[in-house]
């Protein structure tokens, strides 16, 4: 699990990476808005995002807005030199958890990082009958045996497990599990069919609830 730093100022980024590494955190650094958007659309293993607003390519606000369409959990701390209160308000309205105006002290940044990580410490293991998902390791087990899945089936099953006991419609699955990927309803039906075959011999039911969507449960 890593902290993602999205910052185009190389000197500042190097300083923050060194400080966070010294504090025991693994850090991934991206210096371009488009690259950050692509990474956050396909990866779901960051513990925290430190996000500058003024970036080449997509702005920090655009990245944040896209992230929150499919991920309402990962904490985001905005780093900005902008003085306009509107930018900070907009960021908080879009789902940022906190902001820090440049210039700032490393001690304050580290304190805010620690506070956000404490506040958002995840429940890492989900269970539905014989099926278990460790979200930290991104690993499934079924009946105490590893369950290897292709990436899209993995993302879909993780989404269904997070909503276990509740029907989830296709549009919600497409938005939460696949972000901005161009996934049609027919593709979701194919993945659901494959998951049913994988889960069929265990005490897990993946059923269709007419008009409401798909329901994962352990009867």
């Amino acid at each position: 699990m890593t902290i993602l730093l999205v910052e185009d100022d190389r000197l500042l980024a190097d300083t923050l990476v060194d400080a966070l590494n010294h504090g025991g955190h693994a850090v991934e650094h991206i210096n371009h808005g488009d690259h950050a958007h692509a990474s956050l659309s396909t990866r779901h293993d960051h513990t925290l995002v430190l996000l500058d607003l003024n970036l080449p390519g997509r702005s920090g606000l655009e990245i944040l807005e896209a992230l929150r369409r499919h991920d309402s959990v990962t904490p985001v701390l905005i780093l900005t030199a902008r003085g306009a209160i509107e930018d900070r308000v907009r960021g908080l309205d879009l789902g940022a958890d906190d902001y820090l105006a440049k210039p700032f002290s490393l001690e304050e940044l580290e304190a805010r990082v620690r506070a956000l990580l404490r506040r958002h410490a995840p429940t890492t293991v989900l269970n539905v009958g014989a099926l278990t998902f460790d979200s930290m390791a991104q690993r499934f087990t079924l009946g105490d045996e590893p369950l290897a899945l292709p990436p899209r089936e993995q993302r879909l099953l993780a989404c269904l497990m997070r909503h276990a006991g509740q029907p989830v419609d296709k549009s919600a699955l497409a938005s939460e599990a696949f972000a901005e990927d161009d996934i049609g309803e027919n593709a979701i039906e194919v993945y659901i069919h494959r998951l049913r075959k994988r889960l069929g011999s265990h005490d897990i039911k993946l059923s269709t609830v007419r008009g409401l969507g798909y329901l994962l449960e352990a009867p």
Side-chain angles (χ1 to χ4, degrees):
M1 302 295 287
T2 61
I3 292 175
L4 176 62
L5 171 63
V6 186
E7 170 61 65
D8 66 324
D9 184 321
R10 186 71 204 186
L11 180 59
L12 176 58
D14 288 344
T15 300
L16 295 182
V17 169
D18 287 344
L20 291 168
N21 284 162
H22 185 72
H25 303 289
V27 183
E28 175 188 355
H29 172 227
I30 296 178
N31 63 4
H32 195 282
D34 292 342
H35 301 159
H37 173 264
S39 178
L40 289 169
S41 295
T42 57
R43 292 182 54 186
H44 308 279
D45 60 346
H46 298 107
T47 57
L48 171 67
V49 178
L50 304 179
L51 181 62
D52 186 27
L53 292 188
N54 189 20
L55 296 164
R58 293 175 190 256
S59 71
L61 291 178
E62 290 176 300
I63 294 167
L64 175 60
E65 185 174 20
L67 174 66
R68 285 302 186 235
R69 292 191 193 115
H70 65 90
D71 181 349
S72 61
V73 176
T74 302
V76 176
L77 172 61
I78 289 177
L79 306 177
T80 178
R82 299 180 182 180
I85 190 65
E86 292 82 1
D87 289 327
R88 301 175 189 177
V89 171
R90 177 64 174 157
L92 294 171
D93 285 343
L94 287 174
D97 297 88
D98 198 359
Y99 69 86
L100 196 54
K102 302 174 184 177
F104 51 80
S105 70
L106 289 177
E107 291 79 5
E108 182 177 6
L109 172 74
E110 291 167 343
R112 289 178 185 247
V113 165
R114 289 193 298 269
L116 284 172
L117 292 177
R118 284 195 305 269
R119 192 185 312 160
H120 292 267
T123 300
T124 61
V125 178
L126 300 174
N127 293 284
V128 180
L131 178 65
T132 299
F133 175 51
D134 185 334
S135 62
M136 296 287 284
Q138 292 292 296
R139 182 168 54 243
F140 292 88
T141 55
L142 182 60
D144 297 324
E145 295 292 332
L147 176 62
L149 296 172
R152 285 184 172 177
E153 289 180 42
Q154 184 181 56
R155 290 158 65 182
L156 180 60
L157 184 56
C159 179
L160 288 166
M161 290 188 72
R162 287 192 292 269
H163 297 278
Q166 303 173 356
V168 188
D169 65 30
K170 291 179 183 178
S171 62
L173 286 173
S175 175
E176 182 174 339
F178 301 113
E180 296 186 343
D181 290 355
D182 186 16
I183 299 295
E185 292 188 358
N186 290 340
I188 290 178
E189 291 176 1
V190 171
Y191 298 141
I192 290 289
H193 176 71
R194 293 175 182 172
L195 288 174
R196 281 179 176 145
K197 293 179 66 175
R198 297 181 191 277
L199 303 174
S201 61
H202 293 265
D203 63 333
I204 302 162
K205 185 178 181 182
L206 178 52
S207 57
T208 301
V209 181
R210 186 178 297 276
L212 295 176
Y214 297 107
L215 172 65
L216 180 72
E217 59 184 346

